[in-house]
């Protein structure tokens, strides 16, 4: 791979995370702003081609291209200097990109790989950001062209509201980034991506298998979202927050969820998530029984152990 | 009541909240620092008397006294200029205080009122901060001297770690403060306390009945703490946070709970809390069933409604 400063990076899907990644690449100095920008209109490649031709005017020649079905998002991203070029379709973008971030919901990502595999630039490095990994890895193993490299990833960051408009609210600083590398990944590409992830501001990279990712994420992310949703579901009085002291607000901030995406994540990781929900229900039942029976000693001891374990989790 | 600047305010129990209230009274300019301070040692009132004699040297003559069984806490509070005088027992303090904040766990508070009722200064205004109100109000109605006024309260603020040492981490800014006034409360005292609460930085005062307080708090506070505890209880791997993206951390920050106090709060408000746990379990079960059955449409619709309701709760 060329130094990132000389790479053409493609972002497929300029939503919350695609936008945040583009901004991080820009802000960390990896890919400075080029002087000429353009939106590829319709199927015309002229505008894109013209913009592409101007690439060498950038600091290292590197550029950020993005494709998205929403023209307004592309226009906003160009106006805000987040991208150098916006295209309505990947057709005229993929063949030019050395590095591609696929920032799509799992189902769209799976369809995307089936449809566009032939269009990637020979030797390109590809990565994704999907919140489930087992199914993605299976598909990649099945459809990936031999000359391409695909390193599955999951940046553990987000914001309450989706879409490009909220991308600037996403902080990568100190956050976790999970990679589930494939056996076939080239070690130099893995090192390359890891260096770039740290450069974008992430604090820790966890390398694990797709199965382990899905097991852990079912707990740290999906179960938490299910709980937050259930908490809101069980109280219809929207003025209840007048009696809040911060706990309820903290527990339900993530209840502002993107319904289609989280439905996909919950259902695609169904087995692991249901197992986690059941574990949680058992612990909840235990506490409920202590309270029902007025078992002060057992309740205190349980809360003491919880406090101790939570403190250890900070370390 | 005298202007707060001329009042002797007593804090009974200089823990997390007692300390935070003393600091807020100091920082809002209501009770500036006096030049002479002292800890009353043992049963001697000489040291306290000497300090008390110097009260008039303060800006408005007002002072902050505190009693706590922990001498080191009192010494620290004096060193940090949070209080003007620290006493190991309420014996030589209560008779001097125009306004008293009882900052004790519910059970200690109930015992305190039985033991020390005779010692309050005639006409004093008293308030508490206990997280349950029904039982406190019952006790107050039963034991309060006719010349005293007691306005039950619950400041909705806190910090992960208890004790005076963490009091500076408690922010009152913009927070809710719930009052459950008694019929016998003097309107002028209620106005007085409310003005002081706003001056300390709180953003909203909710006036309600003790029963309504306990019903709402069972949801916004106690249920959230039970859920956080259950979430920690069901995962023994303390390295799980390496796979965290903030959701798990947000949901379990309050799992760092003070075990004796929360045990009391859970058990004293048992009926309301159990009802809330059951409501939550029903909502959780509903989501679990959608996931089990792969009911994409119902799951999406539920998450969409949740998002809408959570957004309305912000307003």
């Amino acid at each position: 791979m060329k130094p990132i400063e000389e790479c053409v990076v493609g972002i497929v899907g300029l939503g919350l995370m695609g936008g945040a990644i583009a901004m991080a690449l820009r802000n960390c100095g990896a890919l400075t702003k080029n002087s000429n920008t353009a939106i590829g209109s319709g199927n015309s490649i002229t505008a894109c081609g013209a913009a592409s031709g101007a690439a060498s005017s950038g600091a290292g020649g590197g550029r950020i291209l993005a494709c998205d079905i929403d023209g307004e998002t592309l226009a906003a991203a160009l106006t805000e200097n987040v991208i150098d070029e916006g295209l309505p379709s990947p057709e005229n973008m993929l063949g030019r990109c050395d590095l591609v971030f696929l920032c799509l919901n799992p189902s769209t990502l799976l369809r995307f790989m089936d449809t566009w595999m032939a269009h990637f630039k020979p030797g390109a490095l590809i990565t994704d950001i999907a919140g489930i990994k087992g199914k993605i890895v299976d598909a990649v193993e099945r459809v990936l062209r031999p000359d391409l490299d695909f390193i599955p990833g999951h940046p553990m960051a987000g914001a309450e509201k989706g879409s490009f408009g909220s991308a600037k609210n996403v902080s990568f600083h100190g956050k976790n980034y999970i990679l589930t590398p494939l056996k076939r990944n080239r070690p130099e590409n893995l090192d390359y991506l890891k260096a770039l992830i740290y450069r974008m501001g992430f604090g820790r990279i966890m390398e694990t298998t797709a199965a382990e990712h899905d097991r852990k994420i079912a707990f740290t992310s999906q179960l938490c979202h299910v709980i937050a949703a259930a908490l809101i579901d069980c109280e219809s009085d929207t003025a209840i927050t007048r009696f809040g002291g911060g706990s309820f607000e903290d527990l339900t901030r993530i209840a502002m969820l993107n319904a289609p995406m989280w439905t996909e994540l919950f259902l695609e990781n169904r087995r692991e998530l249901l197992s986690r929900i059941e574990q949680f229900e058992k612990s909840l039942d235990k506490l409920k029984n202590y309270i029902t029976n007025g078992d002060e000693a057992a309740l205190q001891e349980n809360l003491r152990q919880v406090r101790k374990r939570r403190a250890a989790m900070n370390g």
Side-chain angles (χ1 to χ4, degrees), chain A residues 192-226:
Chain A
Y192 186 91
L193 183 60
K194 283 159 73 176
L196 187 61
I197 288 168
Y198 282 125
R199 195 163 165 187
M200 286 195 287
F202 286 89
R204 177 161 49 197
I205 297 173
M206 292 297 292
E207 279 180 66
T208 187
T209 61
E212 182 72 359
H213 168 276
D214 290 354
R215 240 190 323 274
K216 301 283 191 186
I217 288 303
F219 180 73
T220 59
S221 175
Q222 291 164 359
L223 174 61
C224 292
H225 283 78
V226 168

Side-chain angles (χ1 to χ4, degrees), chain A residues 12-55:
Chain A
V12 176
L14 203 61
L16 180 75
M17 291 302 293
I21 286 170
M23 287 174 189
L25 289 170
R26 202 66 119 188
N27 295 337
C28 74
L31 291 156
T32 53
K33 178 74 187 68
N34 277 276
S35 49
N36 293 316
T37 60
I39 307 183
S41 59
N43 292 318
S44 155
I45 56 162
T46 321
C48 312
S52 179

Side-chain angles (χ1 to χ4, degrees), chain A residues 11-293:
Chain A
I11 313 273
V12 176
L14 203 61
L16 180 75
M17 291 302 293
I21 286 170
M23 287 174 189
L25 289 170
R26 202 66 119 188
N27 295 337
C28 74
L31 291 156
T32 53
K33 178 74 187 68
N34 277 276
S35 49
N36 293 316
T37 60
I39 307 183
S41 59
N43 292 318
S44 155
I45 56 162
T46 321
C48 312
S52 179
S56 56
S57 66
R63 299 170 61 75
I64 304 177
L65 316 189
C67 66
D68 197 282
I69 48 169
D70 182 42
E72 284 181 30
T73 290
L74 294 174
L78 282 169
T79 307
E80 295 171 27
N81 292 331
V82 173
I83 60 173
D84 296 300
E85 198 175 328
L87 300 106
S89 152
E91 192 173 358
N92 302 313
M93 184 180 93
L94 290 181
R96 294 155 59 199
C97 298
D98 307 296
L99 171 62
V100 179
F101 284 90
L102 300 174
C103 303
L104 303 167
N105 284 2
S107 62
T108 318
L109 175 58
L110 293 172
R111 279 199 307 275
F112 185 93
M113 285 194 291
D114 280 337
T115 311
W116 296 101
M117 191 49 71
H119 291 69
F120 285 98
K121 182 175 176 177
L125 174 57
I126 309 165
T127 187
D128 76 312
I129 62 150
I132 50 155
K133 294 266 80 84
K135 206 160 177 178
I136 304 299
V137 165
D138 289 349
V140 170
E141 304 268 27
R142 207 170 53 240
V143 303
L144 195 67
R145 267 171 30 203
D147 66 300
L148 301 174
D149 208 8
F150 190 119
I151 304 173
H154 183 190
M156 300 299 293
E160 286 163 55
K161 293 184 184 175
S163 88
F164 178 78
S166 299
K168 59 183 174 300
N169 301 327
V170 178
S171 166
F172 290 164
H173 184 73
K175 294 284 170 67
N176 294 323
Y177 203 115
I178 310 175
L179 294 176
T180 61
L182 315 179
K183 282 202 186 93
R184 56 177 279 188
N185 285 144
R186 287 162 218 155
E188 65 273 21
N189 281 348
L190 191 55
D191 288 344
Y192 186 91
L193 183 60
K194 283 159 73 176
L196 187 61
I197 288 168
Y198 282 125
R199 195 163 165 187
M200 286 195 287
F202 286 89
R204 177 161 49 197
I205 297 173
M206 292 297 292
E207 279 180 66
T208 187
T209 61
E212 182 72 359
H213 168 276
D214 290 354
R215 240 190 323 274
K216 301 283 191 186
I217 288 303
F219 180 73
T220 59
S221 175
Q222 291 164 359
L223 174 61
C224 292
H225 283 78
V226 168
I227 288 172
L231 247 173
I232 296 293
D233 184 77
C234 75
E235 173 59 65
S236 59
D237 175 12
T238 55
I240 191 82
T241 41
R242 294 183 193 175
F243 293 87
S247 311
F248 172 75
E249 293 77 354
D250 279 352
L251 264 75
T252 59
R253 200 161 291 121
I254 54 170
M256 293 287 294
L257 14 76
N258 174 327
M261 187 183 78
W262 284 99
T263 296
E264 271 191 28
L265 294 176
F266 292 166
L267 295 183
E268 290 299 346
N269 203 24
R270 191 183 315 191
R271 200 172 56 86
E272 296 295 345
L273 177 55
L274 287 172
S275 148
R276 291 298 197 167
I277 293 176
E278 276 153 27
Q279 286 167 11
F280 170 76
E281 284 176 329
K282 271 185 203 152
S283 289
L284 185 61
D285 257 351
K286 189 166 62 175
L287 283 163
K288 192 171 103 174
N289 287 335
Y290 294 153
I291 296 167
T292 305
N293 303 329

